[in-house]
Amino acid sequence: MSDTPGIRIEHVTKSYKNGPFAVDDVSLDVRDGEFMVLVGPSGCGKSTLLKLIAGIEETTAGRIYIGERDVTLLDPRKRDIAMVFQNYALYPHLSVRANLGFGLKLRKASKAEIASRVDEVARILGLEEMLERKPGELSGGQRQRVAMGRAIVREPAAFLMDEPLSNLDAKLRVSMRAQLSRLHERLGVTTVYVTHDQVEAMTLGQRVAVMRAGVLQQCDTPDQLFDHPANLFVAAFIGSPAMNLVEAGVEDGEARFGTAVMGLPEDSPLRAGAGRRIVLGLRPHDIKLADAGIAGVVQVVERLGTETHVVVGIDAPRLRSRALADAVESAPDDDILLAEDDRASFTVVAEARVPVDVGDRVALAVNPARLHGFDAETGEALRAPAEARAPVAA
Ligand SMILES: Nc1ncnc2c1ncn2[C@@H]1O[C@H](COP(=O)(O)OP(=O)(O)O)[C@@H](O)[C@H]1O
Ligand SMILES: [Mg+2]
């Protein structure tokens, strides 16, 4: 099957009853056949944006296109879109077969056509054996697949999915995630998928759009979001365990925080922060327990079997920048609980059997090329001077 048309969102704004903007001047280009994920904390406007695309809500300003067609004012039923929600209501008294065919029947499709499309979708989703059962006789995952099937059977131009897996238990969610990816590869239908779960976003999205308080923060591939977050919010929101953050100063080609001093490479973006307060960021995977480096004391050891998370208190004050306070407030990990005192702590991802215990004195080695830097006031990522940066592909 070839890809379906993309969705273009141009300066779209939505306010409910003159309230604050639920969606604030968002522009986003979902490509033909792309799997785009909208992610952000609860209340950031994800569902609203999805409803605007579907036409369930009216835009306050801006335009929405599906392919070349301007659908901004178009009736939702004419937008050729299928939605899948968290609370998918199947008809309990109808068989799976009838549930799958219901939408087509409403559209007055012929009996033969309904039968052939339902069979096809049942085959794709592995529901052939269950066609005569009622929803009550299915597991949660099977019911979710039927809900997905109802959307697929319509062969829409686009799927809009709003946290469709949140009602499933963790293990099932992971397997449904893999099935969804395969399904998308197979059908090539343009999909906008909403979740508050950054892991789900990163594993499913070809690109991921991060939202906060109605405003689009960054839209990029998972790798780019992880390696080059545009600001402190994205940096703190994406990645698990979350990025370690500490306030620092930059001078004479060195970054300093607490008693730590680190020489910066020529092309380090942190050099742009010389002479002002910055927030320095370090991914937990980019720190190693070593013989020499930043001194610290082990506060927590979490052994996960495949790896160990070690929380190390270091000799630096905890961060108090406004940008950071905002960002961490919505960070997915509750690191804040661990930092009851006024000292900063770094989480390190170490090997599974690493021989450390709470109270141990350790040293942390850091590769300065892996440091992230942000303006402490605005939260914007610091950028290396243009001449040191690799050219950006068009
Ligand atoms: N029907 C509505 N009337 C008034 N305010 C709403 C309505 N729906 C959503 N909102 C508000 O818009 C903001 C965004 O909500 P929503 O899009 O549901 O966020 P998300 O899906 O990211 O959790 C929230 O502040 C929410 O309270
Ligand atoms: Mg929502």
Side-chain angles (χ1 to χ4, degrees):
M1 204 169 160
S2 60
D3 290 352
T4 59
I7 299 169
R8 202 161 80 245
I9 298 162
E10 283 183 358
H11 299 289
V12 162
T13 291
K14 171 71 181 178
S15 68
Y16 292 103
K17 300 186 198 100
N18 302 319
F21 292 142
V23 170
D24 189 352
D25 193 21
V26 168
S27 294
L28 190 64
D29 215 338
V30 186
R31 297 169 190 150
D32 297 0
E34 186 173 30
F35 199 115
M36 170 73 78
V37 177
L38 301 179
V39 71
S42 174
C44 73
K46 308 179 294 294
S47 295
T48 300
L49 187 53
L50 214 58
K51 287 178 197 159
L52 294 172
I53 299 171
I56 301 170
E57 294 283 357
E58 277 177 32
T59 56
T60 304
R63 309 219 67 86
I64 298 172
Y65 299 83
I66 298 175
E68 293 310 309
R69 207 158 55 123
D70 183 341
V71 301
T72 316
L73 301 174
L74 195 67
D75 185 284
R77 280 165 300 189
K78 295 188 180 145
R79 293 193 188 193
D80 195 13
I81 266 173
M83 283 192 90
V84 183
F85 296 97
Q86 174 180 352
N87 297 310
Y88 44 86
L90 301 179
Y91 299 105
H93 56 286
L94 295 183
S95 66
V96 168
R97 180 187 295 284
N99 266 286
L100 287 173
F102 196 82
L104 293 176
K105 201 169 155 195
L106 280 186
R107 282 178 176 70
K108 310 250 188 298
S110 74
K111 276 215 171 89
E113 191 186 355
I114 296 173
S116 91
R117 283 220 234 162
V118 167
D119 283 342
E120 162 78 3
V121 166
R123 200 170 48 70
I124 291 172
L125 292 172
L127 292 168
E128 298 123 304
E129 310 298 315
M130 294 154 223
L131 281 172
E132 307 316 324
R133 291 198 214 162
K134 301 273 168 65
E137 299 166 308
L138 302 176
S139 71
Q142 290 164 343
R143 280 202 290 270
Q144 184 54 272
R145 269 187 280 155
V146 177
M148 216 62 92
R150 278 197 311 196
I152 296 171
V153 87
R154 292 175 42 193
E155 299 181 352
F159 292 130
L160 305 180
M161 304 190 183
D162 196 346
E163 315 234 11
L165 307 185
S166 340
N167 282 352
L168 307 178
D169 67 50
K171 208 165 171 187
L172 193 51
R173 220 157 45 221
V174 171
S175 97
M176 283 296 293
R177 222 151 68 192
Q179 291 182 34
L180 257 179
S181 284
R182 277 207 305 276
L183 192 63
H184 176 260
E185 235 161 69
R186 180 161 178 183
L187 300 178
V189 175
T190 307
T191 302
V192 183
Y193 183 103
V194 162
T195 177
H196 64 274
D197 177 348
Q198 58 96 16
V199 176
E200 194 165 297
M202 297 289 273
T203 50
L204 270 175
Q206 289 175 324
R207 285 190 302 157
V208 176
V210 183
M211 287 181 70
R212 173 201 189 187
V215 179
L216 179 63
Q217 304 291 302
Q218 186 173 5
C219 175
D220 228 319
T221 60
D223 286 351
Q224 282 291 316
L225 282 181
F226 189 81
D227 290 339
H228 303 288
N231 59 39
L232 212 38
F233 178 80
V234 176
F237 190 77
I238 299 288
S240 178
M243 185 186 283
N244 298 296
L245 299 166
V246 67
E247 195 163 335
V250 175
E251 214 177 328
D252 300 330
E254 290 174 335
R256 297 164 183 271
F257 58 90
T259 53
V261 182
M262 277 174 288
L264 297 171
E266 264 330 299
D267 60 352
S268 170
L270 274 71
R271 283 178 179 260
R276 47 184 160 140
R277 298 306 291 173
I278 68 158
V279 175
L280 179 151
L282 253 179
R283 295 274 181 210
H285 286 86
D286 292 332
I287 311 176
K288 295 208 163 22
L289 297 170
D291 295 328
I294 304 162
V297 176
V298 175
Q299 294 175 334
V300 177
V301 179
E302 292 176 334
R303 299 196 182 273
L304 305 182
T306 50
E307 59 187 35
T308 297
H309 298 173
V310 185
V311 181
V312 178
I314 58 168
D315 183 21
R318 259 181 78 199
L319 194 49
R320 293 230 170 59
S321 105
R322 218 189 90 65
L324 178 86
D326 289 355
V328 170
E329 192 192 337
S330 331
D333 291 354
D334 292 336
D335 300 341
I336 304 146
L337 268 180
L338 300 171
E340 280 149 359
D341 58 30
D342 266 357
R343 307 275 84 191
S345 61
F346 278 0
T347 299
V348 180
V349 173
E351 79 217 50
R353 313 275 173 240
V354 63
V356 293
D357 276 310
V358 171
D360 285 358
R361 297 195 162 277
V362 293
L364 306 179
V366 165
N367 175 358
R370 304 292 297 176
L371 292 173
H372 297 262
F374 307 90
D375 184 296
E377 290 307 313
T378 64
E380 293 300 310
L382 300 172
R383 301 208 162 275
E387 64 272 18
R389 274 207 310 268
V392 178

